[in-house]
Amino acid sequence: MTPGSPRRVATCWTTAGATVPGDVAATSPEDIRARVEAAAAAGFDGIGINVPDLAIARDSHGDAAIRALLDDHGIGYLELDALGGWASTGEERVVSDARRRILLDAAGKLGADLIKVIPPIGPVADVGPLVSEFATLAGQAADVGARIGIEPISVCKVATPAQALDLVRGAGHPAAGVILDNWQISRAGLGVDVVRGFPPEWIASVELSDGTAEPGADFFADCFEHRRLPGSGELDVAGFVDALRRSGYDKVWGVEVLDAEYRRLPVGRATELAYEALVAATTGRPRLDE
């Protein structure tokens, strides 16, 4: 990889194979070795893994072997997915704090670049009460050499890029950033113009997928079953990428596919298609299957 060139990342569900997201305990039937090999063979230089699969991989292989596996296959970028409940109380917070410890420990020992954070579910609210908690998270991530990225989601209290930017600016920590997901932004009823001029220093990563222009009746079914390869749906993926590039961003481009048909494919072929779609979306070159 040329120094300074953008990272291309197979986010966690892109290589997970026949597993259904939405269940926090969902695990991939694919061993981490098969996933890393598939990502590297396709051309990716980054990969994501979620907490349940991370725990299995660490128990099965050990941290040193996982890091060596990544290095041997040229996977220089690792993101860990995901932390929710970080601003909650009671039992939910107990569970979240345990998950946080796992993520931070793994990030430090595996050299992870990004820990993904999910906002609290619920009606949109002032992000002010979340700032202190998020600043703490950013500091903890920085201590292990990682960055924290929050992804605005339309059914959550942080639903838009603007709200997420208010949160990370309020936290005021360089390890705090926003994950901009074109599908989630579309489901918030927003167009690509919302990312024009978005300050690139506050972008932790970008995730691309595709789908229908009109949301499905059930947000979660739509989110977990019908998020297709970039360029294979009705969303303005090219406009989204162009808007970010014109804003000065060209660092981490991830592809996040959560689609019922996609996950039935062999992981090698699925990952290859994901890479082709990501390259086409971020360079303007046609996909090989077109």
Side-chain angles (χ1 to χ4, degrees):
M1 177 179 173
T2 304
S5 60
R7 296 286 195 182
R8 291 181 176 137
V9 181
T11 63
C12 75
W13 300 111
T14 301
T15 64
T19 186
V20 179
D23 179 352
V24 294
T27 58
S28 170
E30 306 291 340
D31 183 76
I32 191 170
R33 177 172 293 278
R35 297 173 69 174
V36 170
E37 289 174 349
F44 287 104
D45 52 33
I47 195 169
I49 186 167
N50 68 334
V51 170
D53 291 336
L54 176 67
I56 291 170
R58 296 179 81 192
D59 287 345
S60 300
H61 300 281
D63 295 324
I66 294 171
R67 188 63 255 176
L69 175 68
L70 297 171
D71 292 341
D72 290 346
H73 288 81
I75 303 295
Y77 182 94
L78 176 64
E79 63 179 39
L80 306 181
D81 194 334
L83 181 66
W86 49 275
S88 61
T89 58
E91 183 59 29
E92 183 181 6
R93 181 57 181 266
V94 171
V95 172
S96 176
D97 284 350
R99 194 179 184 103
R100 180 189 309 210
R101 288 190 291 271
I102 292 169
L103 285 164
L104 290 170
D105 181 68
K109 291 176 179 175
L110 297 176
D113 299 87
L114 179 67
I115 299 172
K116 186 173 178 178
V117 171
I118 303 301
I121 292 177
V124 172
D126 176 13
V127 299
L130 303 177
V131 167
S132 177
E133 292 281 7
F134 196 70
T136 297
L137 266 177
Q140 291 172 336
D143 287 343
V144 295
R147 193 173 190 185
I148 283 285
I150 188 163
E151 179 180 344
I153 297 174
S154 63
V155 296
C156 292
K157 294 183 183 298
V158 180
T160 70
Q163 287 180 306
L165 183 58
D166 286 345
L167 177 60
V168 299
R169 279 178 163 162
H173 197 294
V178 180
I179 298 172
L180 294 174
D181 182 313
N182 73 306
W183 190 93
Q184 296 290 0
I185 289 170
S186 77
R187 290 314 186 245
L190 303 171
V192 300
D193 284 346
V194 299
V195 299
R196 295 190 192 280
F198 200 99
E201 66 272 19
W202 291 118
I203 301 176
S205 71
V206 171
E207 296 179 347
L208 301 176
S209 61
D210 215 328
T212 58
E214 292 298 318
D218 182 317
F219 171 84
F220 293 101
D222 200 19
C223 181
F224 299 142
E225 302 293 335
H226 305 294
R227 292 173 66 180
R228 297 165 57 187
L229 292 166
S232 64
E234 300 171 349
L235 303 184
D236 186 7
V237 181
F240 183 79
V241 170
D242 181 67
L244 287 166
R245 281 238 169 85
R246 289 177 182 272
S247 303
Y249 179 81
D250 193 21
K251 291 186 178 179
V252 180
W253 300 97
V255 56
E256 184 172 53
V257 187
L258 297 93
D259 178 73
E261 293 183 11
Y262 174 88
R263 68 176 65 105
R264 285 195 286 267
L265 295 171
V267 66
R269 179 56 179 157
T271 308
E272 181 182 52
L273 290 173
Y275 182 78
E276 293 167 3
L278 181 63
V279 169
T282 54
T283 66
R285 299 206 303 265
R287 300 202 317 269
L288 297 182
D289 62 339
E290 289 183 328

